[in-house]
Amino acid sequence: MTRDGDQSPTVGIGEMLISSRSLDEYKAMFNLTERDLSRKILDCPGGAAGLTSAVNRLGGDATACDMAYFDRKAEQLAGIVAAETCRGNRYIRANLEHYDWTFFADPDEHLRLRQHAVEEFAADITRNPHHYVAGRLPALPFPDASFDLVVSSHLLFSYSDRLDLTFHLEALTELMRVSRSEVRIFPLVASGSAALYPHLDTLLTDLRGRGVEGEVVEVEYRFQRGAHHMLVCRHITQ
Ligand SMILES: C[S@@+](CC[C@H](N)C(=O)[O-])C[C@H]1O[C@@H](n2cnc3c(N)ncnc32)[C@H](O)[C@@H]1O
């Protein structure tokens, strides 16, 4: 069974990327409102994304959690994620037809904005290491209901070629455990594919059995073709 942390190259981009989406991308991927951004937020996996640094700089309260933060100093991580940003951009240039060029005008803009997010991440993890917590799904180092809102981008569903249904169920259950109210996941398609995750109905049924209701919601973000929806999960209240 393929589980967390399996870095074996398969289809799509190959080895799992440590990517660096910006706050603007997160806003569009998750339909985030100003009210959402004023809540206590967990970004898991945070990777080298810009949400945590930007939200905290604006006076909010965001924490990133990722297994990439284990056993690496900030300086070492900064070097790795800078190289990862170039790898991600190379993949996109080689697969232009899989992308819709409206959010980003072209691959150069994609590279520039992702590099900017990496710089913000590197500066913030150096200055504020407590914003970045090492953790590995499906077991996170936070007490129950620690956050108001949990966002999770480009791990679940994206890497369903190597993470199986059991991992998805356990990871979502864990993300819900640490959230007081809501978890949002984007996208619902695999990297390199425009097809909806094939086990979504089974996953939603299993989640309902664990007291979690999932709803598929269209979002504004347009980049990977076919990736237009997030999954919003909420605790079922009697
Ligand atoms: C494609 S990146 C997404 C990062 C960020 N959410 C973004 O959209 O830019 C995937 C991330 O998942 C992390 N990851 C992979 N397996 C994980 C696990 N089991 N628990 C926590 N993080 C994991 C990787 O280290 C990597 O940073």
Side-chain angles (χ1 to χ4, degrees), residues 4 16-17 19-21 26 45 47 66-67 135-137 153-154:
D4 53 314
M16 194 178 289
L17 196 68
S19 54
S20 56
R21 291 176 176 81
Y26 269 74
D66 197 293
M67 70 177 206
R136 186 189 301 265
L137 283 166
S153 129
H154 293 87

Side-chain angles (χ1 to χ4, degrees), residues 30-224:
F30 293 113
N31 289 351
L32 293 174
T33 62
E34 288 309 311
R35 185 173 171 278
D36 290 329
L37 293 173
S38 70
R39 300 162 85 189
K40 190 172 181 197
I41 301 174
L42 173 67
D43 180 17
C44 180
L51 175 125
T52 294
S53 58
V55 165
N56 287 303
R57 194 180 55 248
L58 295 169
D61 182 347
T63 299
C65 180
D66 197 293
M67 70 177 206
Y69 309 153
F70 279 114
D71 304 324
R72 285 177 177 145
K73 294 200 165 61
E75 198 176 273
Q76 188 189 1
L77 253 179
I80 292 170
V81 298
E84 286 288 87
T85 303
C86 294
R87 180 164 75 92
N89 189 258
R90 278 197 303 276
Y91 175 78
I92 279 159
R93 286 175 196 270
N95 294 277
L96 288 176
E97 71 284 3
H98 293 167
Y99 297 92
D100 174 346
W101 295 98
T102 51
F103 187 91
F104 299 105
D106 55 37
D108 288 345
E109 186 179 67
H110 172 266
L111 181 62
R112 190 167 50 75
L113 295 177
R114 292 282 175 96
Q115 283 178 329
H116 181 69
V118 160
E119 283 161 17
E120 304 236 301
F121 163 80
D124 196 43
I125 198 170
T126 303
R127 271 197 303 267
N128 301 299
H130 57 286
H131 292 164
Y132 299 87
V133 177
R136 186 189 301 265
L137 283 166
L140 298 179
F142 305 109
D144 294 356
S146 295
F147 302 93
D148 299 318
L149 171 64
V150 176
V151 291
S152 185
S153 129
H154 293 87
L155 172 62
L156 298 176
F157 310 120
S158 283
Y159 289 97
S160 53
D161 58 330
R162 66 200 79 175
L163 301 171
D164 65 12
L165 176 62
T166 303
F167 177 81
H168 282 74
L169 179 63
E170 296 303 331
L172 269 166
T173 302
E174 180 67 352
L175 292 169
M176 285 303 297
R177 181 188 69 76
V178 303
S179 175
R180 249 188 295 278
S181 56
E182 216 180 305
V183 174
R184 300 182 196 177
I185 302 102
F186 180 89
L188 306 185
V189 300
S191 165
S193 158
L196 192 69
Y197 179 60
H199 310 299
L200 190 60
D201 286 346
T202 308
L203 182 65
L204 293 180
T205 303
D206 290 351
L207 281 170
R208 209 166 297 122
R210 294 182 176 195
V212 171
E213 193 70 63
E215 182 190 1
V216 174
V217 176
E218 187 168 2
V219 300
E220 292 169 11
Y221 189 64
R222 291 291 179 276
F223 186 41
Q224 182 186 342

